[in-house]
Amino acid sequence: MKYLNKIATACCAAALGMLTLTSCEGGDLYKINAPDWLAEMGQKEEDPSSIVETTPNPSKLGAADNTTGWWTEFTDDIKAESGKTYQVKFTNFGGASNWNNFVLILRNEAKDVEYAVLRADNWGWGTGYSGEESDAHFAKKMESADRDWATWLKAMSRAKCTLNLYNYGDGTADVKVTMLGSDGNTYTQEYTGVSVDKDNLYFAFTVDNSHIEFGDVDVKDSEPVAMNLNGVAAKVKLGTSFEDAFANVTATVTFADGVAKEVEGKDLQIQAVPDMNSVGRKTLVAVYNKTYLGENAAAAVIGTAEFEIVEKMYKTVGATDNTGAFWSDHSEAIKVAPGETFVSYFTNYTAGGANWNNFLVVLATADGATEYSVLRADNFGWGIGWGACAATIEDGRNWDEWAAAMDGAKVTTFVTNNGDGTADVKAIMVGNNGKTYEQNYKGINTVDPNNFYFHFTIEKAHLEFDAVTGDENNTGAFWSDHSPAHKIEANQTFVTRFTNYTAGGANWNNFLVVLATADGATEYSVLRADNFGWGTGWGACAATIEDGRNWDEWAAAMDGALVTAFVTNNGDGTADVKAIMVGNNGKTYEQNYMGINTIDPDNFYFHFTIEKAHLVFE
């Protein structure tokens, strides 16, 4: 069984030449009681007594919530005798895409030859009896060449279908499906001239994220009883128009008999409460007042979703409504050199429902062709280096509690290239319950230390890189705000990246790097962005700058500059700090502070502070 990435365009042209002959008594080409669809197709005469009405087993195929995957569930095979028509009636409960509906399989008894696999939506494939892989051995025609497929797809949710399969006995078979849609309209789908083995023809049904109920089931109308909103952004920037903010909103409406369907935003009445004109938490309220078949409902249903109006939008990975599938979005890949640890900060938002609906860390080569490891937030992963990894978790973790706490969790990750062919990853997660959780992956191997990169991806989650130091209006006084402090072990380098925003006016209105003991009582050095500093180790520091720097140009370029900072504990009582700054003018500036001394290598911490600036970390 395979998909073919092509669609046959041939139309059925094999009308019988006998149509032009005059009939004689007892020899009518079409009997008066013959099914209309056979007459319309110009096919061979058929005795209506040969129609076999059948109900496949099981009588219900696929999970009622349409979660049954492709090619995982089938009905029993039914043999189609030569010269007979087989009629199957069923209700189709379609899914999100055209192919998420019923599928008919024509094959042999051994199930090792698929004459054809026929979807509901004018597409199919198979080998035919000839055994040649092609979809050209049968012609396909639908009710209308310009069918509105979006309308058809909606109608296929709870469509009442009658399928007729005719085995002519000459090596060909035809299929026609008449579908009474949930919108009250009738649709047809035909597949003609399928090449089969007339004496070894069996048929069965399968589904693809849809389900079927077999039998002559009436399509009944139903009142709406509940509604969930989809596609509502978690955050909206102040000043965004209502139409732009909620352009992707849809709803899942559940009806009285338990059936649900997707409703487009244009069919909803929606309003932001109390308004969109100020920052803060808001509620989107939606009203839907139609029955399942689109009539006016006796009572409307209301759905709500929370969102936030913010002054500033931060860099994100993943759809903000947490609908992004696994591997659907990725952050930029960052190189980590031997001996370096890269520190990242973000807020993790999740749709919940499973532990793995959170962030993932991907360790790979520059081109991504080799994945050393893909590491989930929840003590699981894979990749060529995973087998050697000793994953450790906080003792006695309550995973249900952890999963609930991860929506809005503040996460700090540490990715370390040990330089010896191994790597470590640590994540510190402060949950929405205020509790801190730690996840470690140590000793990942098979790493090329000179070709080691990492990035983030998600599954039904999104990451917001919103860690900020300093007031965002750049009014914060010197020493008024500080980033978290991190310990750097001997012979280790920590790397972090942030965007520097400044009020301007002075060179020192930017970031500062603070090197100190754990308690902050001893400051080895406080280092400004502009070739100046102080502290017990400052006197020995050889500060070097790019030759011939134009300080006025540099100061103007620092508003929005992307800064990568490297802080090294040399292990011998000295430390080095380097900052690479890509200014808003596209130019790169470098600032170095080398040989800072009086360092206790076993008690060495660093953090950032500001003066009339703010930093947004990645």
Side-chain angles (χ1 to χ4, degrees):
M1 182 277 298
K2 65 175 75 173
Y3 287 104
L4 296 180
N5 189 24
K6 56 184 176 180
I7 299 178
T9 58
C11 297
C12 180
L16 295 175
M18 291 297 292
L19 289 173
T20 60
L21 299 180
T22 57
S23 61
C24 58
E25 184 178 356
D28 295 339
L29 185 59
Y30 303 112
K31 294 188 177 181
I32 194 168
N33 291 324
D36 291 341
W37 71 274
L38 287 175
E40 292 170 0
M41 293 170 68
Q43 300 294 4
K44 299 177 182 179
E45 180 180 4
E46 185 242 344
D47 183 347
S49 65
S50 68
I51 295 178
V52 179
E53 294 186 5
T54 185
T55 300
N57 180 51
S59 61
K60 295 182 179 180
L61 183 67
D65 60 358
N66 287 342
T67 57
T68 299
W70 165 251
W71 214 256
T72 57
E73 289 190 15
F74 307 85
T75 62
D76 294 341
D77 282 33
I78 298 172
K79 184 171 184 179
E81 299 286 353
S82 177
K84 292 184 178 180
T85 298
Y86 290 79
Q87 188 173 89
V88 182
K89 295 182 178 181
F90 57 93
T91 302
N92 177 85
F93 297 85
S97 302
N98 285 0
W99 51 88
N100 299 138
N101 289 288
F102 71 86
V103 180
L104 179 70
I105 307 165
L106 305 183
R107 57 191 177 191
N108 64 356
E109 183 178 14
K111 303 181 183 179
D112 56 3
V113 176
E114 290 167 2
Y115 307 129
V117 179
L118 307 173
R119 293 193 332 206
D121 63 333
N122 201 47
W123 205 71
W125 61 92
T127 65
Y129 184 46
S130 66
E132 180 182 355
E133 181 72 25
S134 173
D135 61 2
H137 63 266
F138 59 90
K140 298 172 288 186
K141 61 180 181 179
M142 57 186 177
E143 181 183 45
S144 172
D146 59 352
R147 175 176 294 171
D148 181 344
W149 284 105
T151 299
W152 173 87
L153 178 60
K154 289 183 180 179
M156 286 301 290
S157 180
R158 224 172 168 216
K160 182 179 179 182
C161 304
T162 300
L163 183 146
N164 289 284
L165 165 65
Y166 186 59
N167 180 1
Y168 284 111
D170 63 356
T172 64
D174 292 342
V175 174
K176 179 173 180 177
V177 190
T178 301
M179 299 163 275
L180 175 60
S182 57
D183 58 0
N185 295 319
T186 299
Y187 304 85
T188 59
Q189 179 62 52
E190 299 178 31
Y191 295 94
T192 62
V194 182
S195 172
V196 299
D197 181 346
K198 63 182 178 64
D199 297 318
N200 189 5
L201 173 60
Y202 289 76
F203 68 94
F205 290 83
T206 189
V207 292
D208 184 0
N209 288 291
S210 60
H211 72 284
I212 302 171
E213 292 184 6
F214 293 101
D216 193 4
V217 182
D218 289 335
V219 178
K220 297 179 181 178
D221 208 354
S222 183
E223 292 286 326
V225 294
M227 177 168 63
N228 291 320
L229 297 182
N230 310 312
V232 179
K235 296 187 178 183
V236 176
K237 186 177 181 181
L238 183 66
T240 304
S241 71
F242 185 90
E243 291 75 15
D244 289 343
F246 304 113
N248 297 321
V249 171
T250 62
T252 302
V253 179
T254 303
F255 297 85
D257 58 0
V259 177
K261 71 176 179 180
E262 294 297 305
V263 174
E264 293 183 0
K266 64 182 180 62
D267 297 321
L268 303 171
Q269 301 173 49
I270 56 177
Q271 181 178 355
V273 177
D275 57 52
M276 293 185 62
N277 303 320
S278 60
V279 298
R281 300 296 298 175
K282 311 289 181 177
T283 302
L284 187 69
V285 179
V287 178
Y288 184 70
N289 63 351
K290 297 293 184 181
T291 65
Y292 188 84
L293 295 180
E295 302 297 329
N296 288 330
V301 288
I302 297 175
T304 63
E306 299 296 316
F307 67 99
E308 186 176 2
I309 299 289
V310 296
E311 290 184 348
K312 191 168 186 176
M313 295 290 287
Y314 299 103
K315 176 181 175 182
T316 61
V317 176
T320 57
D321 62 353
N322 296 325
T323 58
F326 171 69
W327 217 256
S328 58
D329 197 14
H330 300 262
S331 68
E332 175 190 353
I334 295 174
K335 183 175 183 178
V336 184
E340 291 183 353
T341 295
F342 199 100
V343 187
S344 302
Y345 308 88
F346 56 87
T347 303
N348 179 92
Y349 296 96
T350 172
N355 287 356
W356 50 88
N357 292 339
N358 290 290
F359 71 90
L360 300 95
V361 184
V362 182
L363 312 181
T365 52
D367 59 7
T370 299
E371 289 175 0
Y372 304 126
S373 276
V374 180
L375 308 168
R376 293 192 333 206
D378 66 330
N379 205 44
F380 188 75
W382 57 88
I384 61 173
W386 167 257
C389 171
T392 59
I393 61 172
E394 175 185 300
D395 289 341
R397 178 174 299 174
N398 180 321
W399 284 105
D400 290 339
E401 171 196 273
W402 174 88
M406 286 300 290
D407 188 32
K410 299 294 184 180
V411 181
T412 305
T413 61
F414 304 80
V415 178
T416 302
N417 177 352
N418 293 315
D420 60 358
T422 68
D424 301 330
V425 175
K426 178 169 70 173
I428 297 175
M429 300 159 278
V430 180
N432 58 33
N433 58 1
K435 293 186 65 172
T436 298
Y437 307 89
E438 185 170 320
Q439 180 64 50
N440 289 279
Y441 297 97
K442 297 181 178 179
I444 300 159
N445 66 3
T446 72
V447 170
D448 179 351
N450 298 310
N451 189 2
F452 180 77
Y453 290 72
F454 83 96
H455 72 269
F456 297 98
T457 188
I458 53 86
E459 180 171 4
K460 291 188 176 179
H462 80 277
L463 317 180
E464 191 167 274
F465 292 83
D466 56 358
V468 179
T469 297
D471 290 334
E472 294 190 40
N473 57 9
N474 295 323
T475 59
F478 171 69
W479 216 256
S480 59
D481 198 11
H482 300 263
S483 71
H486 298 299
K487 182 178 183 179
I488 305 181
E489 301 290 349
N491 302 307
Q492 190 176 40
T493 297
F494 269 38
V495 185
T496 192
R497 190 163 71 177
F498 56 87
T499 302
N500 179 93
Y501 297 95
T502 172
N507 286 357
W508 50 86
N509 292 339
N510 289 290
F511 70 89
L512 300 94
V513 183
V514 181
L515 311 182
T517 53
D519 59 7
T522 299
E523 290 174 359
Y524 304 126
S525 277
V526 179
L527 308 168
R528 293 195 329 208
D530 65 331
N531 204 41
F532 188 76
W534 58 89
T536 63
W538 167 256
C541 169
T544 60
I545 61 172
E546 176 187 300
D547 290 340
R549 178 174 299 173
N550 180 323
W551 283 106
D552 290 339
E553 172 195 274
W554 174 87
M558 285 301 289
D559 189 31
L562 182 63
V563 182
T564 305
F566 303 79
V567 182
T568 302
N569 178 351
N570 293 315
D572 60 357
T574 68
D576 300 329
V577 174
K578 178 169 68 173
I580 297 175
M581 300 159 278
V582 180
N584 58 33
N585 58 0
K587 293 185 65 173
T588 298
Y589 307 90
E590 186 170 320
Q591 181 65 50
N592 291 280
Y593 297 98
M594 314 298 290
I596 301 161
N597 66 3
T598 72
I599 301 296
D600 178 352
D602 298 319
N603 189 2
F604 181 73
Y605 290 74
F606 84 98
H607 72 271
F608 296 91
T609 189
I610 53 86
E611 180 171 2
K612 290 188 178 180
H614 78 277
L615 320 178
V616 180
F617 291 87
E618 296 186 10

